[in-house]
Amino acid sequence: MSNAGLPPLPSSDRPDATARLRDALLGASFTADGLLELLGAPAYAALARGETVPALRATRGDTPLEVLVRLFLLQQPVPRARAADVLPVDACLESGWLTRAGADEVAAPVDVRPYGGPDGEDWFIVSDLGCAVGGAGGIGRRDEGVVLGVGGASTTLAGITVRRPVSSALDLGTGSGVQALHATRHATRVTATDVNPRALRITALTLALSGAPAAELREGSLFTPVRDDETYDLIVSNPPFVISPGARLTYRDGGMGGDDLCRTLVQEAGERLNEGGFAQFLANWQHVEGEDWQDRLRSWVPRGCDAWIVQREVQDVTQYAELWLRDAGDHRGDEAEYRARYDAWLDEFEAREVRAVGFGWITLRRSGAAVPSVTVEEWPHPVEQPLGETVRAHFDRLDHLRSHDDAALLEARFRLAAEVVQEQVGPPGAEDPEHIVLRQNRGMRRATRMDTVGAGFAGVCDGTMSAGRILDAIAQLLGEDPVLLRDRTPAQIRLLVEQGFLDPVDRGA
């Protein structure tokens, strides 16, 4: 892979210089909170969209923080003398964190973006110039081999990842090292891979500048760098999932036809997981004429794994092509070339009979269950991040349901999940509602319709009585046959548990 034309990277062999730079950045409040306070919410949000004008206007002063923002985020050279008041300039020049620009100015060869960790850590994500901020149509260059910083996909994956202490974690296609950085908080050993050697060098810089432990860095595509005898407790990947004609841009185009890269990644992950281990990915998948997209995804799930796949968005092929043409900046170039590339995308989709492209999350868990559980659903509605605990709890509830037949389910106890509310829907003044809706205000923020028995059952669940005893009381209250009620209600209970409205209560609790 060619990195020609990209500037040299800082040295990863100068931990002293990197540590001094980190101290200087923190001393000047070059942090996520510091940026928000300096720029204000509108300019801060605009910067995340790749719009730099508001941030440039907000940093026209001469404070240390303004100097650092112009230098490391806005790619503006600054006078060497002024930089020396804020940074260890000589050490930064020697180690490559700064370069000379003209006779008396210095510039940054990489973007450095402050990034707040989940427990208030002050981290820094290193990326190529122009790539620390912005997404589709952003300010960054889109050359082969370029390494992007933090984007919406990165933060989404970080938010849905199950965070628990583990021995080993693998970040496939690490890019700038965002997922590896998160993994260092709870994994004893972190391995990060990428087909782009420049990405591995940038990941090392991200970890060092963030004050995080080092990761084992390996070059190669997908699981190629992983030895046959290696397995992991956690595998994460924000892969180059874009379905495109060719592989022009390494950071997003997987180089396989259609959605084959995402399918291969998912199918090969199963044998790399330890028992109980999680693999979590972002992915695109094709909606093919005459094929159920859910069945397509079910076929990807490897043997021995439970799966939870959530489709968050669907775009028709024209929307999808336009999104990624803008991402590459093609809409700003020659109009004839833009049209030719647009045609190539549509030709590719037409040849594959693709009508739309889905985007979402895929979570696998290695399980010894005789019959794995595979849930494929569409949920485009707002959710509450982080969702890692919600994901873990989903699989725990599946284990409970799988181990309890209906008789055992009626002997179990349940507790209504936090911040679930009940809504009654019907004409004003009506004596009885047309239907009852239970709605979550946390996690996935689901809503489900219930009959009077189901809603009444959920409302009584406080962990003190078994499900069967609650149903007997409801039967007596409504004048129903308790045996019949016990026979027809377990399906509703299973739905409430599966969707997270009810949590099983351990008998020892």
Side-chain angles (χ1 to χ4, degrees), residues 280-305:
Q280 299 186 261
F281 315 109
L282 301 185
N284 273 172
W285 43 79
Q286 298 173 149
H287 286 229
V288 179
E289 184 75 23
E291 178 184 82
D292 187 317
W293 68 270
Q294 294 181 321
D295 289 342
R296 182 182 190 86
L297 289 172
R298 288 189 184 95
S299 73
W300 291 9
V301 178
R303 287 185 177 182
C305 288

mmCIF file of all heavy atoms in Angstrom, residues 280-305:
data_model
loop_
_atom_site.group_PDB
_atom_site.id
_atom_site.type_symbol
_atom_site.label_atom_id
_atom_site.label_comp_id
_atom_site.label_asym_id
_atom_site.label_seq_id
_atom_site.Cartn_x
_atom_site.Cartn_y
_atom_site.Cartn_z
ATOM 1 N N GLN A 280 -17.973 -7.724 18.166
ATOM 2 C CA GLN A 280 -18.908 -6.643 17.861
ATOM 3 C C GLN A 280 -18.387 -5.827 16.684
ATOM 4 O O GLN A 280 -17.233 -5.388 16.672
ATOM 5 C CB GLN A 280 -19.116 -5.763 19.097
ATOM 6 C CG GLN A 280 -19.714 -6.572 20.257
ATOM 7 C CD GLN A 280 -20.075 -5.722 21.457
ATOM 8 O OE1 GLN A 280 -19.321 -5.660 22.425
ATOM 9 N NE2 GLN A 280 -21.217 -5.062 21.395
ATOM 10 N N PHE A 281 -19.273 -5.621 15.692
ATOM 11 C CA PHE A 281 -18.884 -4.977 14.446
ATOM 12 C C PHE A 281 -19.920 -3.954 14.013
ATOM 13 O O PHE A 281 -21.113 -4.085 14.320
ATOM 14 C CB PHE A 281 -18.767 -6.011 13.304
ATOM 15 C CG PHE A 281 -18.040 -7.266 13.663
ATOM 16 C CD1 PHE A 281 -18.711 -8.465 13.802
ATOM 17 C CD2 PHE A 281 -16.665 -7.254 13.857
ATOM 18 C CE1 PHE A 281 -18.049 -9.629 14.126
ATOM 19 C CE2 PHE A 281 -15.988 -8.421 14.185
ATOM 20 C CZ PHE A 281 -16.683 -9.607 14.321
ATOM 21 N N LEU A 282 -19.472 -2.973 13.242
ATOM 22 C CA LEU A 282 -20.357 -2.183 12.405
ATOM 23 C C LEU A 282 -20.277 -2.771 11.002
ATOM 24 O O LEU A 282 -19.233 -3.274 10.584
ATOM 25 C CB LEU A 282 -19.931 -0.723 12.382
ATOM 26 C CG LEU A 282 -19.880 0.008 13.729
ATOM 27 C CD1 LEU A 282 -19.547 1.474 13.503
ATOM 28 C CD2 LEU A 282 -21.185 -0.130 14.496
ATOM 29 N N ALA A 283 -21.368 -2.689 10.249
ATOM 30 C CA ALA A 283 -21.363 -3.321 8.926
ATOM 31 C C ALA A 283 -22.407 -2.695 8.017
ATOM 32 O O ALA A 283 -23.380 -2.080 8.468
ATOM 33 C CB ALA A 283 -21.617 -4.826 9.052
ATOM 34 N N ASN A 284 -22.185 -2.849 6.722
ATOM 35 C CA ASN A 284 -23.189 -2.624 5.683
ATOM 36 C C ASN A 284 -23.581 -3.972 5.103
ATOM 37 O O ASN A 284 -22.771 -4.900 5.069
ATOM 38 C CB ASN A 284 -22.622 -1.765 4.552
ATOM 39 C CG ASN A 284 -22.743 -0.262 4.780
ATOM 40 O OD1 ASN A 284 -22.198 0.528 4.029
ATOM 41 N ND2 ASN A 284 -23.452 0.135 5.812
ATOM 42 N N TRP A 285 -24.826 -4.074 4.649
ATOM 43 C CA TRP A 285 -25.265 -5.290 3.977
ATOM 44 C C TRP A 285 -26.229 -4.931 2.857
ATOM 45 O O TRP A 285 -26.925 -3.920 2.891
ATOM 46 C CB TRP A 285 -25.918 -6.276 4.939
ATOM 47 C CG TRP A 285 -26.860 -5.640 5.920
ATOM 48 C CD1 TRP A 285 -28.147 -5.244 5.696
ATOM 49 C CD2 TRP A 285 -26.570 -5.321 7.297
ATOM 50 N NE1 TRP A 285 -28.688 -4.709 6.839
ATOM 51 C CE2 TRP A 285 -27.740 -4.737 7.841
ATOM 52 C CE3 TRP A 285 -25.449 -5.487 8.112
ATOM 53 C CZ2 TRP A 285 -27.810 -4.314 9.165
ATOM 54 C CZ3 TRP A 285 -25.517 -5.061 9.426
ATOM 55 C CH2 TRP A 285 -26.691 -4.480 9.944
ATOM 56 N N GLN A 286 -26.236 -5.789 1.846
ATOM 57 C CA GLN A 286 -27.050 -5.552 0.663
ATOM 58 C C GLN A 286 -28.492 -6.015 0.879
ATOM 59 O O GLN A 286 -28.729 -7.044 1.501
ATOM 60 C CB GLN A 286 -26.454 -6.299 -0.535
ATOM 61 C CG GLN A 286 -25.063 -5.837 -0.893
ATOM 62 C CD GLN A 286 -24.421 -6.696 -1.965
ATOM 63 O OE1 GLN A 286 -23.630 -6.201 -2.736
ATOM 64 N NE2 GLN A 286 -24.752 -7.987 -2.020
ATOM 65 N N HIS A 287 -29.425 -5.241 0.360
ATOM 66 C CA HIS A 287 -30.812 -5.675 0.225
ATOM 67 C C HIS A 287 -30.986 -6.072 -1.236
ATOM 68 O O HIS A 287 -31.035 -5.216 -2.123
ATOM 69 C CB HIS A 287 -31.775 -4.542 0.595
ATOM 70 C CG HIS A 287 -31.868 -4.281 2.061
ATOM 71 N ND1 HIS A 287 -33.071 -4.180 2.715
ATOM 72 C CD2 HIS A 287 -30.904 -4.110 3.012
ATOM 73 C CE1 HIS A 287 -32.846 -3.946 4.009
ATOM 74 N NE2 HIS A 287 -31.538 -3.898 4.199
ATOM 75 N N VAL A 288 -31.049 -7.377 -1.480
ATOM 76 C CA VAL A 288 -31.052 -7.915 -2.832
ATOM 77 C C VAL A 288 -32.479 -8.243 -3.257
ATOM 78 O O VAL A 288 -33.285 -8.734 -2.458
ATOM 79 C CB VAL A 288 -30.163 -9.179 -2.898
ATOM 80 C CG1 VAL A 288 -30.183 -9.773 -4.299
ATOM 81 C CG2 VAL A 288 -28.738 -8.843 -2.474
ATOM 82 N N GLU A 289 -32.769 -7.958 -4.507
ATOM 83 C CA GLU A 289 -34.099 -8.237 -5.060
ATOM 84 C C GLU A 289 -34.464 -9.705 -4.843
ATOM 85 O O GLU A 289 -33.687 -10.615 -5.144
ATOM 86 C CB GLU A 289 -34.086 -7.926 -6.563
ATOM 87 C CG GLU A 289 -35.435 -8.073 -7.239
ATOM 88 C CD GLU A 289 -36.393 -6.936 -6.914
ATOM 89 O OE1 GLU A 289 -35.917 -5.838 -6.552
ATOM 90 O OE2 GLU A 289 -37.609 -7.158 -7.020
ATOM 91 N N GLY A 290 -35.668 -9.934 -4.283
ATOM 92 C CA GLY A 290 -36.162 -11.289 -4.093
ATOM 93 C C GLY A 290 -35.580 -12.027 -2.901
ATOM 94 O O GLY A 290 -35.834 -13.220 -2.743
ATOM 95 N N GLU A 291 -34.817 -11.336 -2.062
ATOM 96 C CA GLU A 291 -34.175 -11.978 -0.909
ATOM 97 C C GLU A 291 -34.534 -11.226 0.367
ATOM 98 O O GLU A 291 -34.546 -9.993 0.383
ATOM 99 C CB GLU A 291 -32.656 -11.982 -1.098
ATOM 100 C CG GLU A 291 -31.870 -12.577 0.059
ATOM 101 C CD GLU A 291 -30.369 -12.463 -0.165
ATOM 102 O OE1 GLU A 291 -29.801 -11.383 0.109
ATOM 103 O OE2 GLU A 291 -29.771 -13.441 -0.617
ATOM 104 N N ASP A 292 -34.828 -11.952 1.427
ATOM 105 C CA ASP A 292 -35.101 -11.342 2.730
ATOM 106 C C ASP A 292 -33.770 -10.934 3.359
ATOM 107 O O ASP A 292 -32.901 -11.786 3.584
ATOM 108 C CB ASP A 292 -35.836 -12.346 3.630
ATOM 109 C CG ASP A 292 -36.299 -11.726 4.947
ATOM 110 O OD1 ASP A 292 -35.522 -10.979 5.561
ATOM 111 O OD2 ASP A 292 -37.432 -12.009 5.350
ATOM 112 N N TRP A 293 -33.606 -9.648 3.648
ATOM 113 C CA TRP A 293 -32.324 -9.183 4.192
ATOM 114 C C TRP A 293 -32.029 -9.818 5.541
ATOM 115 O O TRP A 293 -30.858 -10.042 5.890
ATOM 116 C CB TRP A 293 -32.304 -7.661 4.302
ATOM 117 C CG TRP A 293 -33.245 -7.063 5.327
ATOM 118 C CD1 TRP A 293 -34.532 -6.674 5.133
ATOM 119 C CD2 TRP A 293 -32.961 -6.803 6.708
ATOM 120 N NE1 TRP A 293 -35.075 -6.190 6.302
ATOM 121 C CE2 TRP A 293 -34.131 -6.252 7.276
ATOM 122 C CE3 TRP A 293 -31.836 -6.982 7.505
ATOM 123 C CZ2 TRP A 293 -34.201 -5.871 8.616
ATOM 124 C CZ3 TRP A 293 -31.900 -6.604 8.859
ATOM 125 C CH2 TRP A 293 -33.072 -6.053 9.389
ATOM 126 N N GLN A 294 -33.056 -10.130 6.312
ATOM 127 C CA GLN A 294 -32.830 -10.771 7.600
ATOM 128 C C GLN A 294 -32.277 -12.180 7.422
ATOM 129 O O GLN A 294 -31.385 -12.603 8.161
ATOM 130 C CB GLN A 294 -34.123 -10.787 8.419
ATOM 131 C CG GLN A 294 -34.582 -9.376 8.826
ATOM 132 C CD GLN A 294 -35.853 -9.401 9.645
ATOM 133 O OE1 GLN A 294 -36.766 -10.185 9.375
ATOM 134 N NE2 GLN A 294 -35.922 -8.554 10.639
ATOM 135 N N ASP A 295 -32.808 -12.908 6.439
ATOM 136 C CA ASP A 295 -32.277 -14.246 6.164
ATOM 137 C C ASP A 295 -30.823 -14.153 5.706
ATOM 138 O O ASP A 295 -29.998 -15.016 6.041
ATOM 139 C CB ASP A 295 -33.111 -14.945 5.092
ATOM 140 C CG ASP A 295 -34.484 -15.360 5.596
ATOM 141 O OD1 ASP A 295 -34.669 -15.413 6.826
ATOM 142 O OD2 ASP A 295 -35.369 -15.616 4.757
ATOM 143 N N ARG A 296 -30.507 -13.129 4.928
ATOM 144 C CA ARG A 296 -29.130 -12.947 4.471
ATOM 145 C C ARG A 296 -28.188 -12.834 5.659
ATOM 146 O O ARG A 296 -27.134 -13.471 5.718
ATOM 147 C CB ARG A 296 -29.042 -11.696 3.596
ATOM 148 C CG ARG A 296 -27.647 -11.420 3.019
ATOM 149 C CD ARG A 296 -27.627 -10.129 2.192
ATOM 150 N NE ARG A 296 -26.383 -9.997 1.449
ATOM 151 C CZ ARG A 296 -26.165 -10.533 0.261
ATOM 152 N NH1 ARG A 296 -27.119 -11.246 -0.321
ATOM 153 N NH2 ARG A 296 -25.014 -10.372 -0.346
ATOM 154 N N LEU A 297 -28.585 -12.045 6.640
ATOM 155 C CA LEU A 297 -27.721 -11.831 7.802
ATOM 156 C C LEU A 297 -27.681 -13.060 8.704
ATOM 157 O O LEU A 297 -26.640 -13.355 9.302
ATOM 158 C CB LEU A 297 -28.182 -10.601 8.573
ATOM 159 C CG LEU A 297 -27.906 -9.282 7.845
ATOM 160 C CD1 LEU A 297 -28.561 -8.113 8.554
ATOM 161 C CD2 LEU A 297 -26.413 -9.040 7.733
ATOM 162 N N ARG A 298 -28.771 -13.755 8.833
ATOM 163 C CA ARG A 298 -28.759 -14.988 9.636
ATOM 164 C C ARG A 298 -27.749 -15.985 9.076
ATOM 165 O O ARG A 298 -27.109 -16.730 9.820
ATOM 166 C CB ARG A 298 -30.152 -15.610 9.674
ATOM 167 C CG ARG A 298 -31.159 -14.845 10.530
ATOM 168 C CD ARG A 298 -32.452 -15.626 10.702
ATOM 169 N NE ARG A 298 -33.435 -14.835 11.443
ATOM 170 C CZ ARG A 298 -34.375 -14.098 10.874
ATOM 171 N NH1 ARG A 298 -34.487 -14.079 9.540
ATOM 172 N NH2 ARG A 298 -35.217 -13.406 11.593
ATOM 173 N N SER A 299 -27.616 -15.997 7.751
ATOM 174 C CA SER A 299 -26.683 -16.943 7.137
ATOM 175 C C SER A 299 -25.227 -16.591 7.444
ATOM 176 O O SER A 299 -24.342 -17.426 7.247
ATOM 177 C CB SER A 299 -26.902 -16.973 5.620
ATOM 178 O OG SER A 299 -26.401 -15.797 4.990
ATOM 179 N N TRP A 300 -24.968 -15.385 7.877
ATOM 180 C CA TRP A 300 -23.609 -14.981 8.224
ATOM 181 C C TRP A 300 -23.169 -15.515 9.591
ATOM 182 O O TRP A 300 -21.964 -15.629 9.855
ATOM 183 C CB TRP A 300 -23.502 -13.460 8.269
ATOM 184 C CG TRP A 300 -23.622 -12.755 6.960
ATOM 185 C CD1 TRP A 300 -23.981 -13.291 5.755
ATOM 186 C CD2 TRP A 300 -23.392 -11.361 6.723
ATOM 187 N NE1 TRP A 300 -23.989 -12.315 4.784
ATOM 188 C CE2 TRP A 300 -23.629 -11.132 5.343
ATOM 189 C CE3 TRP A 300 -23.009 -10.292 7.528
ATOM 190 C CZ2 TRP A 300 -23.497 -9.859 4.766
ATOM 191 C CZ3 TRP A 300 -22.885 -9.035 6.949
ATOM 192 C CH2 TRP A 300 -23.121 -8.824 5.589
ATOM 193 N N VAL A 301 -24.102 -15.780 10.491
ATOM 194 C CA VAL A 301 -23.762 -16.094 11.883
ATOM 195 C C VAL A 301 -23.033 -17.428 11.957
ATOM 196 O O VAL A 301 -23.544 -18.452 11.492
ATOM 197 C CB VAL A 301 -25.032 -16.114 12.751
ATOM 198 C CG1 VAL A 301 -24.687 -16.492 14.191
ATOM 199 C CG2 VAL A 301 -25.740 -14.758 12.704
ATOM 200 N N PRO A 302 -21.838 -17.456 12.551
ATOM 201 C CA PRO A 302 -21.069 -18.703 12.613
ATOM 202 C C PRO A 302 -21.653 -19.681 13.628
ATOM 203 O O PRO A 302 -22.353 -19.286 14.560
ATOM 204 C CB PRO A 302 -19.676 -18.231 13.045
ATOM 205 C CG PRO A 302 -19.909 -16.945 13.774
ATOM 206 C CD PRO A 302 -21.095 -16.309 13.115
ATOM 207 N N ARG A 303 -21.348 -20.945 13.429
ATOM 208 C CA ARG A 303 -21.815 -21.969 14.358
ATOM 209 C C ARG A 303 -21.276 -21.700 15.755
ATOM 210 O O ARG A 303 -20.166 -21.221 15.932
ATOM 211 C CB ARG A 303 -21.347 -23.353 13.902
ATOM 212 C CG ARG A 303 -22.069 -23.889 12.694
ATOM 213 C CD ARG A 303 -21.615 -25.315 12.412
ATOM 214 N NE ARG A 303 -22.347 -25.902 11.283
ATOM 215 C CZ ARG A 303 -22.172 -27.128 10.863
ATOM 216 N NH1 ARG A 303 -21.267 -27.910 11.478
ATOM 217 N NH2 ARG A 303 -22.863 -27.593 9.838
ATOM 218 N N GLY A 304 -22.089 -22.072 16.739
ATOM 219 C CA GLY A 304 -21.653 -21.941 18.132
ATOM 220 C C GLY A 304 -21.776 -20.552 18.686
ATOM 221 O O GLY A 304 -21.294 -20.280 19.796
ATOM 222 N N CYS A 305 -22.427 -19.629 17.949
ATOM 223 C CA CYS A 305 -22.551 -18.247 18.420
ATOM 224 C C CYS A 305 -24.005 -17.818 18.471
ATOM 225 O O CYS A 305 -24.788 -18.083 17.543
ATOM 226 C CB CYS A 305 -21.796 -17.300 17.484
ATOM 227 S SG CYS A 305 -20.011 -17.397 17.601
#
